[in-house]
Amino acid sequence: MSVIAANLQAVKNDIAAAAQQASRDPSGVTLLAVSKTVSPDRVREAFEAGQPAFGENYVQEGLDKIAALGDLRSRIAWHFIGPLQSNKTRPVAEQFDWVHAIDRLKIAERLSAQRPADLAPLQVCIQVNISNEDTKSGVLPEEVLALARAVAALPNLRLRGLMAIPAPAADLAAQRVPFAALRRLLEELRQSGLDVDTLSMGMSADMPAAIAEGATMVRIGTAIFGARG
Ligand SMILES: *Cc1c(COP(=O)(O)O)cnc(C)c1O
């Protein structure tokens, strides 16, 4: 078995263990393989080992990789998980399946206007600055509901839920705090009538805590592809 295939299996085992610990069905946790800085050949290797969903952070790198793996396009879901500038929305609207880091209405409006009519709606999450960090992108928790209502009303987007990258924390208990806050925010959106189902949270270093608090999609890079150079 290749290193990537073995790592994928180990991550899946970790997801299953964390889900079991939380009395959750592991099939409720989707693994997104974060392939930023990873060559197309290694992404193909992960695909061949059974991984169908990949996350990219940088527009040009992502577009190049989607093109290099064009023969697999209908079998891969490509997620744009990085911050997105308004002058770069068009190729993302045209080429990706998901966008995780919506943090202002202007970006969402552009993505909706630029989404080709013959494609399924772009699946989107709103990024929340859940640890209230000055430097982090994402909307503040008190701004989420208004933005979610506006995004949900856009015709060519489908609002799926919320995403966050919490500040690093020392142990499992401390890691759970911001993830629990994101879970409660998603519940608030549901209670206000929005049809949302996705909590995109958890990376290599904090995945079990995220799953304990209800993550439905974990974004894992290092544990699959190794440390980035
Ligand atoms: C890089 C990145 C990840 C993956 O991080 P790892 O620590 O390598 O698992 C997840 N989400 C986002 C938004 C990232 O930029």
Side-chain angles (χ1 to χ4, degrees):
M1 205 194 276
S2 75
V3 172
I4 287 175
N7 287 349
L8 269 170
Q9 191 53 55
V11 169
K12 286 182 197 166
N13 292 346
D14 290 348
I15 290 173
Q20 187 176 19
Q21 186 81 32
S23 304
R24 295 184 56 197
D25 182 344
S27 70
V29 184
T30 299
L31 173 58
L32 183 62
V34 175
S35 47
K36 64 181 175 219
T37 78
V38 174
S39 72
D41 284 353
R42 298 177 71 225
V43 172
R44 186 179 294 276
E45 196 181 322
F47 174 83
E48 281 165 4
Q51 175 59 31
F54 295 90
E56 288 287 333
N57 284 63
Y58 310 104
V59 175
Q60 194 54 53
E61 183 193 341
L63 297 173
D64 291 347
K65 229 170 278 181
I66 291 171
L69 299 168
D71 56 311
L72 306 177
R73 184 64 192 89
S74 65
R75 291 184 283 159
I76 288 182
W78 288 102
H79 295 235
F80 191 77
I81 63 173
L84 187 52
Q85 294 167 337
S86 61
N87 63 347
K88 297 204 176 143
T89 52
R90 183 176 292 280
V92 171
E94 291 175 350
Q95 304 271 349
F96 280 82
D97 301 297
W98 284 68
V99 172
H100 287 233
I102 302 283
D103 62 358
R104 52 208 153 105
L105 185 57
K106 181 184 175 191
I107 298 287
E109 286 172 339
R110 289 177 66 91
L111 289 169
S112 181
Q114 293 164 345
R115 182 67 169 172
D118 59 326
L119 295 183
L122 189 63
Q123 313 290 302
V124 302
C125 292
I126 290 172
Q127 183 177 0
V128 184
N129 183 351
I130 202 71
S131 307
N132 269 308
E133 292 172 282
D134 290 346
T135 55
K136 272 280 169 60
S137 40
V139 295
L140 293 173
E142 56 268 32
E143 300 166 340
V144 169
L145 179 58
L147 180 58
R149 285 204 168 111
V151 170
L154 293 170
N156 300 320
L157 304 187
R158 163 98 163 81
L159 177 66
R160 294 298 298 270
L162 301 176
M163 177 272 216
I165 310 171
D171 56 30
L172 187 95
Q175 288 174 348
R176 285 181 68 154
V177 173
F179 292 139
L182 199 72
R183 171 172 50 75
R184 286 192 297 269
L185 277 174
L186 191 81
E187 283 160 11
E188 279 176 35
L189 298 187
R190 282 213 195 96
Q191 278 157 16
S192 21
L194 290 167
D195 179 18
V196 285
D197 61 8
T198 299
L199 276 175
S200 167
M201 59 188 198
M203 319 205 315
S204 295
D206 56 15
M207 188 183 80
I211 291 173
E213 294 297 347
T216 65
M217 200 175 285
V218 291
R219 307 180 311 268
I220 307 297
T222 308
I224 297 171
F225 296 110
R228 288 177 291 274

